Amino acid sequence: MHSYTEIPITAIRQIRIGQVENEKAGTGCTVLVCPEGMQAGVDVRGGGPASRETPLLNPLMSAQTIHAITLAGGSAFGLGAAGGVMNCLEERGIGLDVGVTRVPLVVQSDIFDLTVGDPHVRPDEAMGYEAAKLALEAPNYRDGNYGAGCGATIGKAAGMERCMKSGIGSYALQIGEVQIGAVVVVNALGDVYDWKTGKQVAGLLSEDKTTLCSSAEAMKASLEVMENRFAGNTTLAVVMTNAAFDKARLCKIAGMAQDGYARSIHPVHTSADGDSIYAVSAGDVKADMDVIGTLAAEIVSEAILRAVQCAGTAYGYPCLSDLRKL
């Protein structure tokens, strides 16, 4: 019988994480780098993903490894950050050897945070380069209002006036030789629930902003078709492990990890969300796919909780600790 021990997300040694944020503008970038390359799969459930190079992770595509994942703000405008990540990695000889150079394979997904700070300041090549450089030289991952979580908010069914501040969160476990963890940027339309108790812990605020309301109930109050439901959402996650899996199995693990979203966010996977989960393997430890997938869902749920627990008040949006003081 293996013991389950919580470890820092940074203890998964093969993967290094760098974060940069523009606090004034309310946006940022989180880059996960594996210099030796990592197998990766993805599962996209939301209706509005902003992503780059996602088809690389289809098991039918030729590339068997990628070198970095970029999570950022700025919606589709922020997708240029991956160019800076590529430049940083190429300078250091990291990437697919094509003879004349090495081509770093970098995938990216973004949240919509344009309504939080300055909508005209978005993650760009310079920010992506800096985050990748930090990942390689001085990893600085932190939960809360950092990196891609800088401008994250939740509970937006009634618009930004009654939403709460969220952020980026992580959780990881060591089980025997196996390490598995997740980083999640929580920027959901819906509310966040404690997956163990079923209790709502954050999300849509009451009109006087002193208590919580149910986003689902608020949405069900009207069945009229909304042509442009507030679309400033998307929850992003990277599940990482040192267990050995190929792309097809990692796509399955990513799909199983979506259960963590479903347990902890409600409503979830709407047309106004771009919910995506990457699953990556950077090791050679043997483990059962279904066990890892089941663990991944639980770890994602716990990381979602950490994201709202560690978020701080910003841009006029209260955080979980503010509610606890009332």
Side-chain angles (χ1 to χ4, degrees), residues 97-127:
D97 188 353
V98 294
V100 293
T101 188
R102 286 186 176 269
V103 180
L105 300 181
V106 180
V107 299
Q108 179 172 349
S109 287
D110 289 355
I111 66 167
F112 185 107
D113 55 9
L114 301 178
T115 55
V116 171
D118 186 339
H120 302 294
V121 176
R122 304 110 180 201
D124 55 12
E125 282 199 8
M127 183 179 280

Short mmCIF file of all heavy atoms in Angstrom, two decimals, residues 97-127:
data_model
loop_
_atom_site.label_atom_id
_atom_site.label_comp_id
_atom_site.label_asym_id
_atom_site.label_seq_id
_atom_site.Cartn_x
_atom_site.Cartn_y
_atom_site.Cartn_z
N ASP A 97 15.58 19.04 -33.53
CA ASP A 97 16.73 19.26 -34.41
C ASP A 97 16.30 19.10 -35.87
O ASP A 97 15.89 18.02 -36.30
CB ASP A 97 17.84 18.27 -34.08
CG ASP A 97 19.13 18.56 -34.82
OD1 ASP A 97 19.14 19.46 -35.69
OD2 ASP A 97 20.14 17.89 -34.52
N VAL A 98 16.34 20.20 -36.62
CA VAL A 98 15.97 20.15 -38.05
C VAL A 98 17.18 20.43 -38.94
O VAL A 98 17.04 20.78 -40.11
CB VAL A 98 14.83 21.15 -38.36
CG1 VAL A 98 13.56 20.75 -37.65
CG2 VAL A 98 15.24 22.58 -37.99
N GLY A 99 18.37 20.29 -38.37
CA GLY A 99 19.59 20.48 -39.15
C GLY A 99 20.16 21.87 -39.05
O GLY A 99 21.28 22.06 -38.59
N VAL A 100 19.39 22.87 -39.47
CA VAL A 100 19.89 24.24 -39.47
C VAL A 100 19.66 24.95 -38.14
O VAL A 100 20.29 25.97 -37.86
CB VAL A 100 19.25 25.06 -40.61
CG1 VAL A 100 19.71 24.53 -41.96
CG2 VAL A 100 17.73 25.03 -40.50
N THR A 101 18.76 24.43 -37.33
CA THR A 101 18.49 24.98 -36.02
C THR A 101 17.68 23.97 -35.24
O THR A 101 17.42 22.86 -35.71
CB THR A 101 17.73 26.33 -36.10
OG1 THR A 101 17.65 26.91 -34.78
CG2 THR A 101 16.32 26.13 -36.65
N ARG A 102 17.29 24.35 -34.05
CA ARG A 102 16.35 23.53 -33.27
C ARG A 102 15.04 24.31 -33.15
O ARG A 102 15.05 25.50 -32.85
CB ARG A 102 16.91 23.22 -31.89
CG ARG A 102 18.04 22.18 -31.92
CD ARG A 102 18.48 21.78 -30.54
NE ARG A 102 19.49 20.73 -30.59
CZ ARG A 102 19.21 19.43 -30.57
NH1 ARG A 102 17.95 19.03 -30.47
NH2 ARG A 102 20.17 18.52 -30.63
N VAL A 103 13.94 23.63 -33.41
CA VAL A 103 12.62 24.25 -33.37
C VAL A 103 11.91 23.83 -32.09
O VAL A 103 11.49 22.67 -31.96
CB VAL A 103 11.77 23.85 -34.59
CG1 VAL A 103 10.39 24.51 -34.51
CG2 VAL A 103 12.47 24.21 -35.89
N PRO A 104 11.78 24.74 -31.13
CA PRO A 104 11.05 24.40 -29.91
C PRO A 104 9.56 24.26 -30.23
O PRO A 104 8.98 25.12 -30.91
CB PRO A 104 11.30 25.60 -28.98
CG PRO A 104 12.44 26.35 -29.61
CD PRO A 104 12.34 26.09 -31.07
N LEU A 105 8.95 23.18 -29.77
CA LEU A 105 7.52 22.99 -29.97
C LEU A 105 6.80 23.48 -28.73
O LEU A 105 6.96 22.93 -27.64
CB LEU A 105 7.23 21.51 -30.24
CG LEU A 105 7.93 20.93 -31.48
CD1 LEU A 105 7.55 19.47 -31.68
CD2 LEU A 105 7.60 21.75 -32.73
N VAL A 106 6.02 24.55 -28.91
CA VAL A 106 5.38 25.25 -27.80
C VAL A 106 3.89 25.36 -28.07
O VAL A 106 3.48 25.91 -29.10
CB VAL A 106 5.98 26.67 -27.61
CG1 VAL A 106 5.31 27.38 -26.44
CG2 VAL A 106 7.49 26.59 -27.40
N VAL A 107 3.08 24.85 -27.17
CA VAL A 107 1.63 25.02 -27.28
C VAL A 107 1.19 26.09 -26.29
O VAL A 107 1.87 26.36 -25.29
CB VAL A 107 0.88 23.69 -27.02
CG1 VAL A 107 1.27 22.65 -28.05
CG2 VAL A 107 1.13 23.18 -25.61
N GLN A 108 0.05 26.69 -26.55
CA GLN A 108 -0.41 27.78 -25.69
C GLN A 108 -1.92 27.83 -25.63
O GLN A 108 -2.62 27.56 -26.61
CB GLN A 108 0.12 29.13 -26.21
CG GLN A 108 -0.34 30.33 -25.37
CD GLN A 108 0.33 31.63 -25.77
OE1 GLN A 108 1.28 31.64 -26.54
NE2 GLN A 108 -0.16 32.74 -25.24
N SER A 109 -2.43 28.20 -24.45
CA SER A 109 -3.85 28.51 -24.28
C SER A 109 -3.96 29.75 -23.41
O SER A 109 -3.16 29.95 -22.48
CB SER A 109 -4.60 27.35 -23.61
OG SER A 109 -4.76 26.27 -24.50
N ASP A 110 -4.97 30.58 -23.69
CA ASP A 110 -5.13 31.86 -22.99
C ASP A 110 -6.50 31.99 -22.34
O ASP A 110 -7.49 31.44 -22.84
CB ASP A 110 -4.96 33.02 -23.98
CG ASP A 110 -3.53 33.18 -24.45
OD1 ASP A 110 -2.65 32.46 -23.95
OD2 ASP A 110 -3.30 34.03 -25.34
N ILE A 111 -6.53 32.76 -21.27
CA ILE A 111 -7.79 33.16 -20.66
C ILE A 111 -8.17 34.55 -21.17
O ILE A 111 -7.34 35.28 -21.70
CB ILE A 111 -7.73 33.16 -19.12
CG1 ILE A 111 -6.77 34.25 -18.61
CG2 ILE A 111 -7.35 31.79 -18.59
CD1 ILE A 111 -6.87 34.53 -17.12
N PHE A 112 -9.43 34.90 -20.99
CA PHE A 112 -9.92 36.24 -21.33
C PHE A 112 -9.87 37.08 -20.06
O PHE A 112 -10.63 36.83 -19.11
CB PHE A 112 -11.35 36.16 -21.86
CG PHE A 112 -11.92 37.47 -22.35
CD1 PHE A 112 -12.08 37.71 -23.71
CD2 PHE A 112 -12.29 38.46 -21.46
CE1 PHE A 112 -12.61 38.91 -24.15
CE2 PHE A 112 -12.82 39.66 -21.90
CZ PHE A 112 -12.98 39.90 -23.25
N ASP A 113 -8.96 38.06 -20.01
CA ASP A 113 -8.86 38.95 -18.85
C ASP A 113 -8.88 40.42 -19.27
O ASP A 113 -8.47 41.31 -18.52
CB ASP A 113 -7.60 38.64 -18.03
CG ASP A 113 -6.33 38.69 -18.87
OD1 ASP A 113 -6.39 39.14 -20.04
OD2 ASP A 113 -5.26 38.29 -18.36
N LEU A 114 -9.37 40.69 -20.48
CA LEU A 114 -9.30 42.04 -21.05
C LEU A 114 -10.15 43.05 -20.30
O LEU A 114 -9.91 44.26 -20.40
CB LEU A 114 -9.71 42.00 -22.53
CG LEU A 114 -8.88 41.10 -23.45
CD1 LEU A 114 -9.43 41.13 -24.87
CD2 LEU A 114 -7.42 41.52 -23.44
N THR A 115 -11.16 42.59 -19.55
CA THR A 115 -12.04 43.52 -18.85
C THR A 115 -11.57 43.81 -17.43
O THR A 115 -12.23 44.53 -16.69
CB THR A 115 -13.47 42.94 -18.78
OG1 THR A 115 -13.42 41.64 -18.19
CG2 THR A 115 -14.08 42.84 -20.16
N VAL A 116 -10.43 43.27 -17.04
CA VAL A 116 -9.97 43.39 -15.65
C VAL A 116 -9.09 44.63 -15.44
O VAL A 116 -9.32 45.43 -14.55
CB VAL A 116 -9.22 42.12 -15.21
CG1 VAL A 116 -8.56 42.31 -13.85
CG2 VAL A 116 -10.20 40.95 -15.14
N GLY A 117 -8.05 44.76 -16.25
CA GLY A 117 -7.13 45.88 -16.10
C GLY A 117 -7.14 46.75 -17.34
O GLY A 117 -8.14 47.36 -17.69
N ASP A 118 -6.02 46.79 -18.05
CA ASP A 118 -5.91 47.55 -19.28
C ASP A 118 -6.11 46.60 -20.46
O ASP A 118 -5.28 45.73 -20.71
CB ASP A 118 -4.52 48.20 -19.36
CG ASP A 118 -4.37 49.13 -20.56
OD1 ASP A 118 -5.14 48.99 -21.53
OD2 ASP A 118 -3.46 49.99 -20.53
N PRO A 119 -7.21 46.76 -21.22
CA PRO A 119 -7.49 45.81 -22.30
C PRO A 119 -6.50 45.89 -23.46
O PRO A 119 -6.48 45.00 -24.32
CB PRO A 119 -8.89 46.21 -22.76
CG PRO A 119 -9.02 47.65 -22.40
CD PRO A 119 -8.25 47.81 -21.13
N HIS A 120 -5.68 46.94 -23.49
CA HIS A 120 -4.74 47.11 -24.59
C HIS A 120 -3.33 46.63 -24.25
O HIS A 120 -2.43 46.72 -25.08
CB HIS A 120 -4.71 48.58 -25.03
CG HIS A 120 -6.06 49.08 -25.46
ND1 HIS A 120 -6.71 48.60 -26.58
CD2 HIS A 120 -6.89 49.99 -24.89
CE1 HIS A 120 -7.89 49.21 -26.70
NE2 HIS A 120 -8.02 50.05 -25.69
N VAL A 121 -3.14 46.12 -23.04
CA VAL A 121 -1.85 45.53 -22.65
C VAL A 121 -2.07 44.02 -22.53
O VAL A 121 -2.86 43.57 -21.71
CB VAL A 121 -1.35 46.11 -21.33
CG1 VAL A 121 -0.05 45.40 -20.90
CG2 VAL A 121 -1.11 47.61 -21.45
N ARG A 122 -1.36 43.25 -23.33
CA ARG A 122 -1.54 41.80 -23.33
C ARG A 122 -0.17 41.12 -23.30
O ARG A 122 0.84 41.72 -23.68
CB ARG A 122 -2.26 41.33 -24.61
CG ARG A 122 -3.62 42.00 -24.83
CD ARG A 122 -3.55 42.94 -26.00
NE ARG A 122 -4.84 43.60 -26.25
CZ ARG A 122 -5.15 44.14 -27.41
NH1 ARG A 122 -4.32 44.06 -28.45
NH2 ARG A 122 -6.31 44.75 -27.56
N PRO A 123 -0.13 39.87 -22.86
CA PRO A 123 1.12 39.12 -22.94
C PRO A 123 1.65 39.13 -24.37
O PRO A 123 0.89 38.92 -25.33
CB PRO A 123 0.72 37.71 -22.49
CG PRO A 123 -0.44 37.94 -21.57
CD PRO A 123 -1.20 39.08 -22.19
N ASP A 124 2.94 39.38 -24.53
CA ASP A 124 3.55 39.44 -25.85
C ASP A 124 4.84 38.63 -25.87
O ASP A 124 5.14 37.91 -24.91
CB ASP A 124 3.82 40.90 -26.25
CG ASP A 124 4.67 41.64 -25.21
OD1 ASP A 124 5.24 40.98 -24.31
OD2 ASP A 124 4.77 42.88 -25.30
N GLU A 125 5.60 38.74 -26.96
CA GLU A 125 6.83 37.96 -27.07
C GLU A 125 7.80 38.26 -25.93
O GLU A 125 8.46 37.36 -25.40
CB GLU A 125 7.50 38.24 -28.42
CG GLU A 125 6.87 37.51 -29.58
CD GLU A 125 7.80 37.43 -30.79
OE1 GLU A 125 8.98 37.82 -30.66
OE2 GLU A 125 7.35 36.97 -31.85
N ALA A 126 7.89 39.54 -25.53
CA ALA A 126 8.81 39.91 -24.47
C ALA A 126 8.44 39.24 -23.16
O ALA A 126 9.30 38.74 -22.43
CB ALA A 126 8.84 41.44 -24.31
N MET A 127 7.14 39.20 -22.84
CA MET A 127 6.70 38.57 -21.61
C MET A 127 6.91 37.06 -21.67
O MET A 127 7.34 36.43 -20.69
CB MET A 127 5.22 38.88 -21.33
CG MET A 127 4.72 38.31 -20.00
SD MET A 127 2.98 38.70 -19.64
CE MET A 127 3.15 40.38 -19.02
#
